Amino acid sequence: MPTGEIEIKVKSAQLLNTCKKLPFEIKDFVKKTEALRLQYRYLDLRSFQMQYNLRLRSRMVMKMREYLCNLHGFVDIETPTLFKRTPGGAKEFVIPSREPGKFYCLPQSPQQFKQLLMVGGLDRYFQVARCYRDEGSRPDRQPEFTQIDIEMSFVDQIGIQSLIEGLLQYSWPSDKDPVVVPFPSMTFAEALASYGTDKPDTRFGMKIVDISDVFRNTKVGFLQDALSKPQGTVKAICISEGAKYLKRKDIESLRKLAADHFNQEVLPVFPKANRNWNSPVAKSIMEEQRSELIRLMEIQEDGVVLLTAGEHRKACSVLGKLRLECADLLEARGLVLRDPALFSFLWVVDFPLFLPKEENPGELESAHHPFTAPHPSDIHLLHTEPKQVRSQHYDLVLNGNEIGGGSIRIHDAELQRYILATLLKEDVKLLSHLLQALDFGAPPHGGIALGLDRLICLVTGAPSIRDVIAFPKSFRGHDLMSNAPDSLPPEELKPYHIQVSWPADSEAEKSSLNQPYHPES
Amino acid sequence: MPTGEIEIKVKSAQLLNTCKKLPFEIKDFVKKTEALRLQYRYLDLRSFQMQYNLRLRSRMVMKMREYLCNLHGFVDIETPTLFKRTPGGAKEFVIPSREPGKFYCLPQSPQQFKQLLMVGGLDRYFQVARCYRDEGSRPDRQPEFTQIDIEMSFVDQIGIQSLIEGLLQYSWPSDKDPVVVPFPSMTFAEALASYGTDKPDTRFGMKIVDISDVFRNTKVGFLQDALSKPQGTVKAICISEGAKYLKRKDIESLRKLAADHFNQEVLPVFPKANRNWNSPVAKSIMEEQRSELIRLMEIQEDGVVLLTAGEHRKACSVLGKLRLECADLLEARGLVLRDPALFSFLWVVDFPLFLPKEENPGELESAHHPFTAPHPSDIHLLHTEPKQVRSQHYDLVLNGNEIGGGSIRIHDAELQRYILATLLKEDVKLLSHLLQALDFGAPPHGGIALGLDRLICLVTGAPSIRDVIAFPKSFRGHDLMSNAPDSLPPEELKPYHIQVSWPADSEAEKSSLNQPYHPES
């Protein structure tokens, strides 16, 4: 104790307050459920870990402000949270107003406002912005969250990236290893091909390798099938020391995961170890293929290869998922693949501008948002092959988590109209104020938003973002301490001209309370 | 122009964007309606004044953060805005959740959370907090606004006041006269007696004087009437040079204001000038009373006295209002009573803890909020004469505007329960989490909130708080740029289990859009 050597001689004492028996001891080693911690959040906040997390968060945000405001001339500007529905904003909370049938919405981000500020000549904007997203029940998501929101005029992708690298370096806690800049950068295509995801955890290898050429003459049925198709590939990852640390049931669970969640067959191969349990098919792999595999993937003693076949994106995705699962399994056996003291930042760039709509793949939707500028090299494709157009969007990834994203925006009103109306088939009337603003001499501009809760969670090593938020909601969106959301008497809804439509089924309320568990995508 | 002496020799130029004809020229001397400015806010933001206001606001808030965070060890903690209805929170926006009949509310302030943080051992909290209040149409009010929100443990009234004095001194813009500390302090009783308000503008005198004793033997009817009652008083203000600068119609309009809004008779007296127009009754004032008045109120040549009679509070209120009206009138004639470069801060203290309920004067309501601690000298009155109890609430007043308020809070659960349940007759169940928190060893604590929009408005001398907010709402709560609030298709309300109750009267929507104009209280 820092005061351990001071002896206090008390002359008089005044009892300021008494304390009833606490529902749990505030000691780190006393295990308690998260529900109990959230119910008595004001007691849980006294724990060493919560004090450390919240104080670190405050200090880090303060350093970010100093960097932006004092060192780089940014202006901290508050934007409204009572706004209107944005096109496609299906996840926005609605707020009835006192005018019948008129609603505000809580915005998912200050995107429109920050672009309008650029038109308004406030050329370096930032805000620690509260944002809202109603996603129903999602573990480790919060209906309200905070982002470091930044926008600049006359800037390019490299300009924003350098700013953010400097920002993180400057604000990084002094008790952690310093941040090394610049951060490496990787295209979306490379991230997908090597890591099977747009947010690769680059703290460890186990990269995906295309081994299609090795298996051109294979007799293994599902590889043959895949390679006979025009887009067919064979892909693999190699688990170093896998044969030593992974058990038969581990490999079984990995294959089951691939089958259940991706409908993909995965074949384990032990190219150097003589243990082909669980992969009778592997016996059909010829010696020539085996040695080519060892050469191509640099396989060591005890290396295990997981291979799968199919269309490029799908094969990569399943191996990307298995790569993370393998890391979990190996770490559970005592290996360290992901050093907890290591912070591995990565820019992912050159995303596609559009994706086929999930519900109707013939139509396009924005991969990120409709204000993202196309890649300058691909503009000519907008009118001919829009699906091939890359964007000027960039994501910042930390240890396999997306902690930020941004883009250079469209500042040309005609281009924005073309993309909204012709390509995306959106109702441009809802965005007429933004289109009109671009018409009045909007400067080229771009920006980024960092997810503050996730960032602090990674910096502190907290198990959940709820541990870096003073008063978080449960994964069902409840405040377990105060019991929000709560019922309201009908007369309090009257001024807002709304009434509750009670579900016809009397069980409906109950079932809505027991929404299914949605794992994070 | 700072760059006026640099000549640029252009080798090549690239057109970054074009600009359509602007709806108005962005020059200060070009007059435009506020509606037009709000519709094209992104253009209005380019004006010198808006740039100045928003950049000053950002710098000043940054300095406040440095003072609190870096110099005084405060922790910046974000509290939720998706909360539940607080008792008596009739002005809180409601947000339907995906559970039928369950609503979040947007809080009017982080009051409960900041007290819970004190229980949680985060003993120096601050936040630049977004707050929400649905007051319908009010000029110069915003449905969302920002406060500098502060709470400390083990602090008293003087402790909070010194902190705030230091905060304002430290963050004050360098192009203004420096802030002099400590600020003067005045009890609520004195503010009412001398200025007729709880937020006196102390930049000028014209104080209210009790002249009851002068008129004990008056023959003037309404004075006689008033003084014959046990609580009756006669009060006056003296307008220096009033006889020189005020016209007959000015005095008439002042008397009409008193009659119309306060139902009070006001008598103008010209004790030294021989111009008793408009006050035939004044002739009944005897010479002895006249000279006593001159002595008591230190009346100079051309001084005009406005006197009224009645119960103390009412007489003071009307004269407090007339005092400000007189200042407006004299300044319209070219006198300077309120130096625009002068910032006159004032603490108002010793407010009553309770007020009689407006709708039912037999019952009590909190003068501020139910968590305010009683004045230590008055605690014994809580059980006998609660109406006499003063509170530990304090207001900060700047140039006649309340820019902040706070209090030492109740940290004793039993006292809090007694005040809530027995005196205020509130349903304590809604606050059970707070009462329970106090039970677990809550430290003594107190805090304050400064209204940031109003403060910046006064510092910049802006005519309206809308001029210090990037994207304000109109006084009807509309965003004139984006047209929020807006209609929503019924299917977008479905996930929230609500439907619009359209008013039966088909004209109702229209009439609700034309809400009557409510002047500020």
Side-chain angles (χ1 to χ4, degrees):
Chain A
M1 298 284 286
T3 57
E5 302 205 0
I6 299 168
E7 195 168 320
I8 296 168
K9 200 166 175 184
V10 176
K11 282 192 177 160
S12 73
Q14 189 194 346
L15 184 65
L16 292 172
N17 212 345
T18 57
C19 184
K20 290 200 173 163
K21 185 173 162 25
L22 299 180
F24 51 81
E25 257 198 291
I26 301 160
K27 298 265 165 67
D28 285 346
F29 60 81
V30 175
K31 290 274 169 282
K32 47 240 167 223
T33 65
E34 193 176 23
L36 191 70
R37 289 177 55 204
L38 289 178
Q39 185 189 346
Y40 295 99
R41 188 58 159 184
Y42 43 86
L43 297 178
D44 187 46
L45 289 176
R46 294 181 188 167
S47 68
F48 170 82
Q49 202 54 56
M50 284 305 303
Q51 292 274 329
Y52 174 82
N53 293 353
L54 293 178
R55 288 170 191 270
L56 177 141
R57 178 178 178 137
S58 169
R59 274 195 308 274
M60 199 165 161
V61 171
M62 187 64 200
K63 295 285 277 180
M64 288 184 180
R65 293 180 180 281
E66 287 170 9
Y67 179 85
L68 291 169
C69 234
N70 296 352
L71 301 185
H72 287 88
F74 279 77
V75 185
D76 178 6
I77 298 174
E78 298 178 65
T79 57
T81 55
L82 297 176
F83 192 43
K84 67 185 265 189
R85 184 74 111 202
T86 42
K91 288 169 177 172
E92 289 170 358
F93 287 101
V94 300
I95 306 174
S97 75
R98 288 178 188 242
E99 290 171 42
K102 300 275 177 136
F103 292 81
Y104 297 106
C105 281
L106 292 172
Q108 293 190 44
S109 88
Q111 184 62 37
Q112 291 185 45
F113 290 110
K114 66 181 186 174
Q115 293 194 239
L116 291 167
L117 287 171
M118 295 305 110
V119 180
L122 288 148
D123 55 344
R124 292 186 160 212
Y125 146 88
F126 93 99
Q127 183 183 195
V128 181
R130 192 70 60 91
C131 303
Y132 301 85
R133 197 174 298 160
D134 179 20
E135 302 186 285
S137 298
R138 284 280 194 109
D140 230 23
R141 290 283 175 100
Q142 291 285 312
E144 52 184 319
F145 57 97
T146 304
Q147 64 188 36
I148 309 289
D149 200 48
I150 289 173
E151 194 82 6
M152 290 175 87
S153 293
F154 306 107
V155 72
D156 58 12
Q157 187 159 325
I158 295 294
I160 296 283
Q161 290 178 353
S162 315
L163 180 85
I164 296 303
E165 287 164 357
L167 174 75
L168 287 166
Q169 193 172 45
Y170 184 86
S171 62
W172 206 247
S174 53
D175 63 343
K176 313 281 173 202
D177 285 348
V179 170
V180 178
V181 300
F183 302 154
S185 186
M186 191 183 284
T187 65
F188 168 74
E190 189 187 343
L192 182 67
S194 298
Y195 298 93
T197 174
D198 57 358
K199 42 186 182 196
D201 188 338
T202 47
R203 285 175 298 178
F204 67 106
M206 216 192 286
K207 287 197 205 177
I208 301 168
V209 180
D210 190 306
I211 49 170
S212 305
D213 288 344
V214 180
F215 289 93
R216 292 286 170 213
N217 303 314
T218 186
K219 285 168 189 154
V220 181
F222 82 102
L223 301 182
Q224 237 176 3
D225 278 2
L227 287 174
S228 68
K229 285 173 194 153
Q231 306 286 327
T233 65
V234 179
K235 309 269 185 183
I237 55 174
C238 172
I239 314 162
S240 297
E241 304 193 88
K244 195 163 143 198
Y245 287 96
L246 295 188
K247 303 198 170 107
R248 186 175 181 136
K249 74 167 170 53
D250 296 329
I251 301 284
E252 267 319 297
S253 78
L254 292 170
R255 297 186 70 190
K256 189 166 167 2
L257 176 77
D260 292 354
H261 284 81
F262 295 84
N263 197 25
Q264 280 277 121
E265 188 159 355
V266 165
L267 185 68
V269 182
F270 297 74
K272 291 189 138 184
N274 197 16
R275 287 192 287 151
N276 278 331
W277 35 255
N278 241 334
S279 75
V281 195
K283 287 174 195 145
S284 325
I285 295 177
M286 294 173 296
E287 193 47 44
E288 192 190 334
Q289 289 166 342
R290 184 183 299 248
S291 59
E292 179 61 11
L293 210 56
I294 290 171
R295 194 192 59 79
L296 201 67
M297 299 189 71
E298 296 170 7
I299 296 164
Q300 309 290 316
E301 207 65 43
D302 285 327
V304 176
V305 170
L306 297 180
L307 60 81
T308 193
E311 180 264 322
H312 173 73
R313 193 178 191 117
K314 206 175 169 197
C316 290
S317 295
V318 65
L319 289 178
K321 178 72 183 154
L322 294 186
R323 176 177 172 267
L324 296 175
E325 288 290 319
C326 287
D328 286 347
L329 286 169
L330 290 174
E331 291 189 341
R333 305 277 182 276
L335 281 185
V336 178
L337 273 78
R338 297 166 294 195
D339 178 358
L342 194 69
F343 293 96
S344 189
F345 287 98
L346 175 74
W347 291 108
V348 180
V349 300
D350 290 358
F351 283 85
L353 186 56
F354 304 108
L355 294 175
K357 262 191 188 166
E358 258 183 56
E359 61 272 34
N360 180 1
E363 290 180 16
L364 295 177
E365 61 183 10
S366 295
H368 293 94
H369 61 59
F371 315 117
T372 310
H375 197 291
S377 324
D378 295 354
I379 287 200
H380 63 285
L381 297 170
L382 266 180
H383 293 261
T384 52
E385 289 182 278
K387 277 188 197 174
Q388 298 305 316
V389 176
R390 289 166 303 163
S391 72
Q392 293 194 61
H393 179 93
Y394 29 86
D395 268 353
L396 182 58
V397 173
L398 172 55
N399 294 353
N401 296 274
E402 183 200 323
I403 58 160
S407 59
I408 302 303
R409 327 295 184 186
I410 297 167
H411 67 276
D412 179 274
E414 276 322 299
L415 178 58
Q416 184 69 76
R417 265 190 207 99
Y418 174 74
I419 287 181
L420 280 170
T422 310
L423 295 182
L424 298 172
K425 307 199 187 330
E426 291 280 4
D427 180 1
V428 291
K429 253 181 274 161
L430 282 168
L431 286 169
S432 58
H433 52 285
L434 189 72
L435 287 165
Q436 208 167 20
L438 296 182
D439 270 332
F440 293 127
H445 60 286
I448 194 166
L450 302 181
L452 183 63
D453 307 296
R454 174 71 53 205
L455 174 64
I456 303 291
C457 183
L458 290 169
V459 173
T460 58
S464 151
I465 59 166
R466 290 184 294 279
D467 292 314
V468 299
I469 296 172
F471 299 100
K473 302 281 190 295
S474 75
F475 82 91
R476 281 185 187 141
H478 290 190
D479 178 337
L480 300 182
M481 181 184 68
S482 73
N483 189 31
D486 205 359
S487 309
L488 284 181
E491 65 267 21
E492 300 203 0
L493 301 179
K494 245 186 178 167
Y496 300 109
H497 310 280
I498 56 166
Q499 59 191 53
V500 176
S501 347
W502 292 102
D505 177 7
S506 63
E507 284 298 288
E509 182 172 17
K510 208 181 134 202
S511 73
S512 111
L513 288 170
N514 295 310
Q515 284 177 21
Y517 175 89
H518 300 289
E520 283 210 300
S521 56
Chain B
M1 299 285 286
T3 56
E5 302 202 3
I6 299 168
E7 193 169 321
I8 295 168
K9 199 166 173 182
V10 176
K11 282 194 179 158
S12 73
Q14 188 193 350
L15 183 66
L16 293 173
N17 213 343
T18 57
C19 184
K20 289 201 175 166
K21 187 172 160 26
L22 299 180
F24 52 81
E25 257 197 290
I26 301 159
K27 299 265 163 67
D28 286 346
F29 59 82
V30 176
K31 291 274 168 283
K32 48 237 166 225
T33 65
E34 193 178 22
L36 192 69
R37 288 177 54 204
L38 289 178
Q39 187 190 342
Y40 295 99
R41 189 56 160 185
Y42 44 86
L43 296 178
D44 188 46
L45 289 176
R46 295 182 188 168
S47 69
F48 171 81
Q49 202 55 57
M50 284 306 304
Q51 292 275 328
Y52 175 82
N53 292 354
L54 292 178
R55 288 170 191 268
L56 177 141
R57 179 177 177 139
S58 169
R59 275 194 307 274
M60 200 165 160
V61 171
M62 187 64 204
K63 295 285 277 181
M64 288 184 177
R65 293 180 179 279
E66 287 171 8
Y67 180 84
L68 291 169
C69 234
N70 296 352
L71 301 183
H72 287 86
F74 278 77
V75 185
D76 178 5
I77 299 174
E78 299 177 64
T79 57
T81 56
L82 296 177
F83 193 43
K84 67 185 265 190
R85 186 74 114 201
T86 42
K91 289 168 177 172
E92 289 170 358
F93 287 101
V94 300
I95 305 174
S97 75
R98 289 179 187 241
E99 291 171 42
K102 300 275 177 138
F103 293 81
Y104 297 106
C105 281
L106 292 172
Q108 292 188 45
S109 87
Q111 184 62 37
Q112 291 186 46
F113 290 110
K114 66 183 186 173
Q115 293 194 239
L116 291 167
L117 287 172
M118 296 304 112
V119 180
L122 288 148
D123 55 344
R124 293 187 158 212
Y125 146 87
F126 94 99
Q127 183 183 195
V128 180
R130 191 71 60 92
C131 303
Y132 301 85
R133 198 172 295 159
D134 178 21
E135 302 188 284
S137 298
R138 285 280 195 109
D140 229 22
R141 289 283 176 100
Q142 290 285 314
E144 52 184 320
F145 57 97
T146 304
Q147 63 188 35
I148 308 289
D149 200 49
I150 289 173
E151 195 81 6
M152 289 175 84
S153 292
F154 306 108
V155 73
D156 58 12
Q157 188 159 326
I158 297 294
I160 296 283
Q161 289 177 355
S162 316
L163 179 84
I164 297 302
E165 287 163 357
L167 173 75
L168 287 166
Q169 192 172 44
Y170 184 87
S171 61
W172 206 248
S174 53
D175 62 342
K176 314 280 173 202
D177 286 348
V179 169
V180 179
V181 300
F183 303 153
S185 185
M186 191 183 284
T187 65
F188 168 74
E190 189 188 343
L192 182 66
S194 298
Y195 297 93
T197 175
D198 58 358
K199 41 186 183 195
D201 189 339
T202 48
R203 284 175 298 178
F204 68 106
M206 216 191 284
K207 286 196 203 176
I208 301 166
V209 180
D210 191 304
I211 50 170
S212 306
D213 287 345
V214 180
F215 289 94
R216 291 289 170 211
N217 304 312
T218 186
K219 282 168 189 151
V220 181
F222 84 102
L223 301 181
Q224 241 178 2
D225 278 2
L227 288 172
S228 69
K229 286 173 191 150
Q231 306 288 326
T233 65
V234 180
K235 308 269 185 186
I237 55 173
C238 173
I239 315 163
S240 297
E241 304 193 87
K244 196 162 139 198
Y245 287 96
L246 296 187
K247 304 203 169 101
R248 186 176 182 137
K249 72 167 174 48
D250 296 331
I251 303 284
E252 267 319 298
S253 78
L254 292 169
R255 296 186 71 191
K256 189 165 164 7
L257 176 76
D260 292 353
H261 283 83
F262 295 85
N263 197 25
Q264 279 277 124
E265 190 158 354
V266 165
L267 186 66
V269 182
F270 297 74
K272 290 190 140 185
N274 197 16
R275 285 192 290 151
N276 277 332
W277 36 255
N278 241 337
S279 76
V281 196
K283 288 172 193 142
S284 325
I285 295 176
M286 293 173 297
E287 193 48 42
E288 194 189 330
Q289 289 166 342
R290 184 182 299 248
S291 59
E292 180 61 9
L293 211 55
I294 289 170
R295 193 192 59 78
L296 202 67
M297 299 189 70
E298 297 171 6
I299 296 165
Q300 309 290 316
E301 209 65 43
D302 285 327
V304 177
V305 169
L306 296 181
L307 59 79
T308 193
E311 179 265 320
H312 173 73
R313 192 177 191 120
K314 207 176 167 194
C316 290
S317 294
V318 65
L319 289 178
K321 177 72 183 155
L322 295 185
R323 177 177 172 270
L324 295 176
E325 289 289 321
C326 287
D328 286 347
L329 286 168
L330 291 173
E331 291 190 340
R333 303 282 183 273
L335 280 183
V336 177
L337 275 79
R338 297 166 294 196
D339 178 358
L342 195 69
F343 292 96
S344 189
F345 287 98
L346 175 75
W347 291 108
V348 179
V349 300
D350 289 359
F351 283 83
L353 186 57
F354 304 109
L355 294 175
K357 261 192 189 166
E358 259 184 55
E359 60 273 33
N360 180 2
E363 291 181 13
L364 296 176
E365 61 183 10
S366 295
H368 294 94
H369 61 59
F371 316 117
T372 310
H375 197 291
S377 322
D378 295 355
I379 287 200
H380 62 287
L381 297 170
L382 265 181
H383 293 261
T384 53
E385 288 182 277
K387 277 187 197 176
Q388 299 303 315
V389 177
R390 289 166 303 164
S391 72
Q392 295 193 63
H393 179 92
Y394 30 86
D395 268 353
L396 181 58
V397 174
L398 170 56
N399 295 352
N401 296 275
E402 184 200 321
I403 57 159
S407 58
I408 302 303
R409 328 295 184 185
I410 297 167
H411 67 275
D412 179 275
E414 275 322 300
L415 178 58
Q416 184 68 77
R417 264 188 207 102
Y418 175 74
I419 287 182
L420 280 170
T422 310
L423 295 182
L424 298 172
K425 307 194 188 330
E426 291 281 4
D427 180 1
V428 291
K429 253 179 276 160
L430 282 169
L431 288 169
S432 58
H433 53 287
L434 189 71
L435 287 163
Q436 209 170 16
L438 295 182
D439 270 332
F440 293 127
H445 60 285
I448 194 166
L450 301 181
L452 183 63
D453 307 297
R454 174 71 54 207
L455 174 63
I456 302 291
C457 184
L458 291 167
V459 173
T460 57
S464 152
I465 58 166
R466 290 184 294 279
D467 293 314
V468 299
I469 296 172
F471 299 99
K473 301 283 191 293
S474 75
F475 82 92
R476 279 183 189 143
H478 290 190
D479 179 338
L480 300 183
M481 181 183 68
S482 73
N483 187 34
D486 204 358
S487 308
L488 284 180
E491 66 267 22
E492 300 204 359
L493 302 178
K494 246 187 177 165
Y496 300 109
H497 309 280
I498 56 165
Q499 59 192 59
V500 177
S501 347
W502 292 101
D505 177 7
S506 64
E507 284 297 288
E509 182 173 18
K510 206 181 136 201
S511 74
S512 107
L513 289 170
N514 295 309
Q515 283 176 25
Y517 175 89
H518 300 289
E520 284 212 298
S521 58

